[in-house]
Amino acid sequence: MGQTIRIPSKDGSFNAYLAVPASGRGPGIVMCQEIFGVNGTMRTLADRYAQEGYVVLVPDLFWRIEPGVELDYSPEGWKRAFEFFQKYDQNKGVEDIAATVAALRQRPELDDVANVGVIGYCLGGKMAYLAACRCDVACSVGYYGVGIEQALDEADNIKGRLVLHLAGEDEYCPPEARAQIAAKLATLPRAEAFSYPGVDHAFARPNGNHYDKAADETAYARTLAALKSEIGPR
């Protein structure tokens, strides 16, 4: 279903995985990766949203460190993933997301160039939140983002819709962090934080060790509802 394209930016260019619905057209989504790169999991998730009618671009957010990172979930994969995470410049990452949004708006497959969404998982969950704060996007959805509580001072800049999915047993986002996030989002008119009791980080990763079917289906339904409300398809 997908192909790899190049995204231009002021610092160079980088790859992105493009998934297009069977109809050939639809609303646009930028999908932000886990710390494991644009691997098979991210392509599967992009294809899933393409099947729902979306044109999806998944940028290689680690390209400044090492282009083309695709890691598995073995101990060695985890070790390398955390090394990339520690080196990653999130501010530059937001610039790359903005460049991807701009490139997406140039795609002939897009139905509505004005209203674009962002979805992210793990590291990408934090990046989706930052995109909501800093980029011109209509809807952002973050799954179990790490470190969002450290950037809540930016939340008042959010103009679009924001939905965050938080795992109740997430060691990377402990209860006090989740409480801070929920409290701040409660003050915003178009933001929601959903908590999923009893599930761990990466509960929506297909075939992952922490995958939880019930939580994934509930979060997915909420995600689609938010996207359809803000960007379609209608």
Side-chain angles (χ1 to χ4, degrees), residues 155-233:
D156 290 330
N157 297 327
I158 297 172
K159 295 181 176 62
R161 177 85 171 272
L162 174 66
V163 176
L164 297 182
H165 301 298
L166 308 176
E169 302 299 323
D170 193 339
E171 65 177 302
Y172 305 114
C173 185
E176 56 271 22
R178 295 197 299 273
Q180 291 172 27
I181 293 166
K184 181 58 184 178
L185 264 58
T187 70
L188 304 177
R190 305 187 65 212
E192 301 161 281
F194 296 104
S195 185
Y196 299 82
V199 301
D200 208 338
H201 188 83
F203 68 79
R205 179 189 297 148
N207 303 313
N209 291 338
H210 294 159
Y211 180 75
D212 186 282
K213 186 174 186 290
D216 177 38
E217 289 180 349
T218 300
Y220 189 61
R222 288 167 170 166
T223 296
L224 288 179
L227 290 171
K228 288 178 181 179
S229 172
E230 305 303 325
I231 69 172

Side-chain angles (χ1 to χ4, degrees), residues 37-169:
V38 184
N39 59 8
T41 294
M42 299 313 303
R43 293 192 293 271
T44 294
L45 289 168
D47 292 346
R48 184 186 190 190
Y49 283 97
Q51 290 169 1
E52 298 285 357
Y54 296 96
V55 179
V56 188
L57 263 181
V58 191
D60 177 5
L61 295 180
F62 285 162
W63 72 279
R64 296 170 187 274
I65 308 169
E66 180 183 319
V69 172
E70 290 192 41
L71 300 174
D72 60 22
Y73 304 102
S74 66
E76 177 59 26
W78 276 90
K79 180 176 180 292
R80 292 198 65 211
F82 275 106
E83 289 172 354
F84 282 112
F85 175 66
Q86 289 165 357
K87 294 176 183 177
Y88 183 62
D89 185 332
Q90 295 185 5
N91 292 320
K92 285 292 185 182
V94 176
E95 294 180 11
D96 293 336
I97 293 169
T100 307
V101 169
L104 182 58
R105 286 190 166 119
Q106 297 297 315
R107 297 295 306 181
E109 302 92 345
L110 229 60
D111 276 341
D112 181 355
V113 298
N115 296 312
V116 170
V118 178
I119 300 176
Y121 299 83
C122 182
L123 165 65
K126 168 76 173 294
M127 300 311 296
Y129 168 79
L130 291 177
C133 298
R134 304 183 195 177
C135 299
D136 177 21
V137 293
C139 184
S140 295
V141 181
Y143 280 77
Y144 31 83
V146 179
I148 291 173
E149 72 281 1
Q150 299 166 8
L152 291 176
D153 58 332
E154 298 192 45
D156 290 330
N157 297 327
I158 297 172
K159 295 181 176 62
R161 177 85 171 272
L162 174 66
V163 176
L164 297 182
H165 301 298
L166 308 176
E169 302 299 323

